Amino acid sequence: MERPDGEEALGLLRRMLLIRRFEERAAKLRAGGLIPGFLHPYIGQEAVAVGVCAALGDDAVLTSTHRGHGHLIARGADPARMFAELFARTTGYNGGKGGSLHMIDAALGFLGANGIVGGGIPLAAGAALQLRRAGRTAVGVTFFGDGASNEGSFHETLNLAALWKLPVLFVCENNLYGEFTRQDRHQLITDVAERASSYGMAGVVVDGNDVLAVRDAAADAVARANAGEGPTLLEAKTYRHRGHFEGDMGRYRPKDEVAAWMARDPIDLFAQRIQDEWDLPEEAVVQVRAEVEQELDKATAWAKEQPHPVPSGALEDVYVETYEGAVLR
Amino acid sequence: MSRFTYADAVRQAIAEEMERDESVFMIGEDVGEPGGVFGVTKGLWEQFGPDRLWDTPISEEAIVGAAVGAALVGGRPIAEIMFGDFVTLAMDMIVNQAAKIHYMTGGRLSAPMVVRMVTGTAGSTAAQHSQSLESWFVHVPGLKVVAPSTPEDAKGLLRSAIRDPDPVIYFEHKQLYGGRGGPAGDVVQVEPIPFGVGRVHREGEHVTIVSYLKTLHHALAAAEALAEEGISCEVWDPRTLVPFDHAGLRRSLTKTGRLLVAHEAVTRGGFGAEIAAWAAEECHDVLTAPITRVGARNAPVPYAPELESHVIPDADRIADAVRKLVG
Ligand SMILES: Cc1ncc(C[n+]2csc(CCOP(=O)(O)OP(=O)(O)O)c2C)c(N)n1
């Protein structure tokens, strides 16, 4: 892909910052009792979601994981409605029925976070199949972790998608851990992307903390998919800064490992690069940071005002009453 | 002062059975060195080492399938499915393999193993982490199904489950883990509890409430409240759903003449339907009122607290149902 201009570069930084600060606020609000249930922070992995989404057209269809906030924001979701969902309000993305693990924005082609590890992988292939049947050139994209690459759904889907040359991007965010288990204790390979060759598809490893490298690798994969060359297994090497979920201190990780990755914070790296490589006013980055805070201030303030669901609403939506058909762009 | 919790009970049962029998081992996601997501297996890895506690990749079908294979050749595996919801990925191994092997081989082989899983909701764990799927397993011949409600039962029944020659599905309720149980102390001696023997938690005259797992505690709270209104409830816990203590339930119904079944699982097709049908067939001579069920309303478990509590039954709903039944 072409080198982005200053405006685009700032846009990428802004999205990464939005994810980071959204999550930091969510963690705080959860500790303050405003958010029930689970929260799996994406902090540290922002360059993957933002890089991949920057390479996608509006018509792509995406599936995500239990760590889905970053993917949603990168795709352009409204943080206010996300907070409303986390606060379990009716105007949240799932009307308060889903919460963090199940957040969905069909209008963005975003088929949801997922509480089941590996659950989203086949869905993206199926979406790609239907897109192709419908004569569209759009791609299906699925995010998942190194841990998920041990599930049967991963292996079955890769084989199927390769066999049918489905236009899919399998994006493995290798943050080195599946829950508390380090990669070398759950699989013998270092590069998950190696698995691609056994299914006859392209396998690519990219620095997941370099947003432009991710964007370019994803763009290549999209081009292959659109050219009828089938799926790509794209592995982004990255790291989550916090525990597996809020409340997990992550003590199973060596201190020097954490420190080494923290020193390669994707946002700091890119902010530095913007200042070094693009001809932008000194305070451009500072201003982006301020805009993000403003947006999130507004988002949380709005979400806190939103109505709670009425209990009997629990029994609505179990079966379809009116269905307007799938929402695809 | 330390206290004996349900989580302690499970851990102690595993430890004691591992000490007793070399062939007992555990297999599951993060059950070894990390000590389990709920901390249930904490310390076992240090005590027994990696040959007795196998941390696995995230691969549910392989976890349960490997347990079945090991059991067929002399192992006594305890497989852990972190949340019962994820057992869907291992159903073939449980339903088509473990449950069938003894029968299909004309009694020559068996898969003596335990599949432990965490069931129910912990509060806003939402649709894919909150389900109560016990009736699925009850429906499959060849499986035994255990659902302990107290620390003592959790320990005694797990000890039996591990020794049992059949595949056993063992449910642990998330919200019971930390709950205070019996006497305080580091290790509480509990002998293996035989399957198929229910337990009367509270004696009563007007109605028998059958319940298990977390809902049993709601039933006890309801009984307490109803006692003040002059309604006397017998609260009875089957402890094992398969085999089921039919004689014990009949004894209780002979005394009370009325039956209410309460559980966290969705009412429709839930285990309560089985109990109700059995009682209608076999105890109609002692029943003086229609059988009533209280379970989750017909919806996936929602995230918002006010929605969740509308779906999942509590003490008030049980008490209301009892009032209707005796009124
Ligand atoms: C089928 C299934 N098994 C287990 C879990 C519990 N669980 C949730 S997240 C997780 C770890 C996933 O690791 P990975 O795929 O590497 O993603 P990461 O958490 O690193 O983003 C596990 C085991 C689950 N949600 N679903």
Side-chain angles (χ1 to χ4, degrees):
Chain A
M1 257 182 133
E2 272 174 45
R3 183 183 136 90
D5 61 25
E7 194 72 10
E8 287 171 291
L10 279 175
L12 295 174
L13 181 70
R14 188 175 179 289
R15 277 264 179 262
M16 289 200 285
L17 273 167
L18 200 58
I19 297 171
R20 172 75 51 99
R21 296 292 298 136
F22 177 91
E23 295 242 293
E24 286 173 350
R25 284 175 185 240
K28 222 179 186 160
L29 291 165
R30 186 176 183 281
L34 205 57
I35 299 173
F38 296 115
L39 212 61
H40 299 86
Y42 191 69
I43 292 170
Q45 305 183 200
E46 296 89 347
V48 186
V50 171
V52 168
C53 288
L56 303 177
D58 284 349
D59 47 10
V61 177
L62 296 85
T63 69
S64 172
T65 67
H66 56 286
R67 210 177 291 291
H69 302 158
H71 307 135
L72 255 171
I73 293 175
R75 185 62 177 165
D78 175 2
R81 290 190 63 201
M82 291 176 67
F83 275 124
E85 185 59 32
L86 290 180
F87 301 165
R89 307 303 170 89
T90 52
T91 48
Y93 269 113
N94 307 48
K97 285 182 170 150
S100 170
L101 268 180
H102 307 291
M103 253 189 246
I104 196 159
D105 187 347
L108 294 174
F110 194 92
L111 301 185
N114 207 311
I116 302 300
V117 169
I121 301 173
L123 305 186
L129 171 66
Q130 174 57 19
L131 290 170
R132 196 169 73 181
R133 291 184 63 243
R136 308 268 289 264
T137 49
V139 296
V141 182
T142 179
F143 294 95
F144 55 90
D146 47 296
S149 74
N150 297 319
E151 285 278 21
S153 62
F154 168 86
H155 295 277
E156 294 182 23
T157 306
L158 259 67
N159 188 51
L160 189 81
L163 186 68
W164 292 347
K165 295 224 176 311
L166 294 177
V168 192
L169 269 61
F170 296 100
V171 183
C172 179
E173 299 187 61
N174 185 350
N175 60 16
L176 286 183
Y177 288 82
E179 221 153 72
F180 317 135
T181 305
R182 210 177 47 221
Q183 191 194 0
D184 60 12
R185 301 203 42 213
H186 73 67
Q187 54 193 205
L188 289 182
I189 52 172
T190 314
D191 294 340
V192 175
E194 261 186 56
R195 293 190 165 170
S197 68
S198 63
Y199 298 107
M201 71 171 72
V204 178
V205 179
V206 66
D207 177 356
N209 282 17
D210 178 344
V211 65
L212 290 185
V214 173
R215 185 193 70 138
D216 291 352
D220 291 344
V222 170
R224 275 193 293 279
N226 288 343
E229 292 165 25
T232 299
L233 173 56
L234 176 61
E235 178 185 6
K237 305 279 193 190
T238 186
Y239 204 71
R240 58 167 153 79
H241 288 184
R242 298 168 79 98
H244 170 55
F245 46 76
E246 276 307 308
D248 164 31
M249 306 304 285
R251 293 212 181 88
Y252 42 89
R253 307 185 303 179
K255 281 204 180 78
D256 51 342
E257 177 187 285
V258 178
W261 280 96
M262 294 292 245
R264 293 199 65 245
D265 182 315
I267 297 181
D268 292 347
L269 287 181
F270 196 59
Q272 189 57 51
R273 229 175 120 176
I274 284 185
Q275 271 160 355
D276 296 344
E277 294 179 28
W278 277 272
D279 185 24
L280 289 166
E282 184 104 343
E283 63 284 6
V285 169
V286 176
Q287 198 192 324
V288 165
R289 287 185 190 275
E291 283 166 13
V292 165
E293 295 311 324
Q294 271 167 19
E295 176 168 359
L296 292 175
D297 281 344
K298 263 179 39 197
T300 47
W302 178 82
K304 282 178 187 166
E305 300 286 296
Q306 296 306 298
H308 290 270
V310 290
S312 60
L315 304 184
E316 290 165 11
D317 307 322
V318 178
Y319 299 101
V320 174
E321 272 170 27
T322 52
Y323 186 56
E324 278 145 23
V327 197
L328 275 189
R329 304 203 293 191
Chain B
M1 190 166 55
S2 54
R3 61 201 172 96
F4 179 59
T5 66
Y6 191 86
D8 294 335
V10 173
R11 181 185 316 109
Q12 290 174 20
I14 295 170
E16 287 170 25
E17 292 304 307
M18 279 193 177
E19 261 168 16
R20 186 188 58 81
D21 180 354
E22 273 293 315
S23 58
V24 176
F25 70 94
M26 260 203 80
I27 176 167
E29 291 160 20
D30 286 332
V31 298
E33 198 172 1
V37 183
F38 295 92
V40 170
T41 51
K42 266 221 154 51
L44 294 181
W45 193 83
E46 288 76 3
Q47 189 181 346
F48 293 100
D51 189 50
R52 306 297 291 284
L53 286 121
W54 293 81
D55 274 332
T56 67
I58 312 173
S59 307
E60 287 75 12
E61 184 166 9
I63 292 167
V64 177
V68 179
L72 290 175
V73 295
R76 288 275 177 164
I78 305 167
E80 178 177 297
I81 297 290
M82 190 187 293
F83 284 77
D85 310 67
F86 314 155
V87 81
T88 50
L89 285 77
M91 284 308 265
D92 176 57
M93 289 297 142
I94 296 177
V95 175
N96 292 322
Q97 313 302 335
K100 302 295 193 287
I101 197 84
H102 189 63
Y103 191 79
M104 292 191 309
T105 58
R108 286 175 184 83
L109 277 180
S110 180
M113 56 187 281
V114 183
V115 181
R116 288 179 44 237
M117 64 184 112
V118 179
T119 189
T121 183
S124 286
T125 46
Q128 295 173 334
H129 284 76
S130 299
Q131 297 168 86
S132 299
L133 300 176
E134 64 273 13
S135 71
W136 291 11
F137 300 96
V138 164
H139 190 64
V140 177
L143 300 175
K144 292 178 177 164
V145 182
V146 183
S149 314
T150 67
E152 293 89 339
D153 285 354
K155 183 165 180 183
L157 290 167
L158 185 52
R159 294 189 68 185
S160 294
I162 294 168
R163 300 175 186 202
D164 199 278
D166 285 307
V168 178
I169 309 296
Y170 185 93
F171 287 96
E172 296 162 26
H173 197 289
K174 298 177 185 78
Q175 284 194 39
L176 293 180
Y177 276 139
R180 201 178 289 270
D186 276 335
V187 175
V188 172
Q189 286 304 326
V190 183
E191 290 307 306
I193 297 171
F195 286 2
V197 183
R199 171 172 173 185
V200 178
H201 279 269
R202 181 188 175 107
E203 305 235 13
E205 290 161 33
H206 300 138
V207 56
T208 299
I209 306 177
V210 175
S211 193
Y212 53 89
L213 293 167
K214 168 108 190 300
T215 313
L216 176 94
H217 301 275
H218 291 313
L220 286 167
E224 190 71 41
L226 290 162
E228 289 172 20
E229 300 168 24
I231 302 173
S232 157
C233 301
E234 177 138 317
V235 180
W236 187 82
D237 178 358
R239 303 200 285 191
T240 58
L241 311 188
V242 179
F244 188 84
D245 182 5
H246 290 118
L249 178 54
R250 187 174 164 90
R251 266 197 305 280
S252 179
L253 293 180
T254 304
K255 213 161 96 182
T256 64
R258 295 187 185 88
L259 169 60
L260 180 143
V261 190
H263 55 52
E264 188 168 326
V266 174
T267 308
R268 184 181 69 196
F271 186 61
E274 169 62 25
I275 301 178
W278 176 83
E281 282 172 2
E282 304 293 335
C283 302
H284 56 89
D285 55 323
V286 300
L287 288 173
T288 59
I291 301 164
T292 304
R293 289 177 290 159
V294 175
R297 297 185 213 267
N298 186 32
V301 182
Y303 167 71
E306 48 280 79
L307 299 181
E308 185 188 88
S309 56
H310 188 69
V311 170
I312 300 290
D314 58 11
D316 287 346
R317 265 179 64 198
I318 294 170
D320 282 348
V322 170
R323 286 186 197 102
K324 276 206 198 101
L325 194 55
V326 298

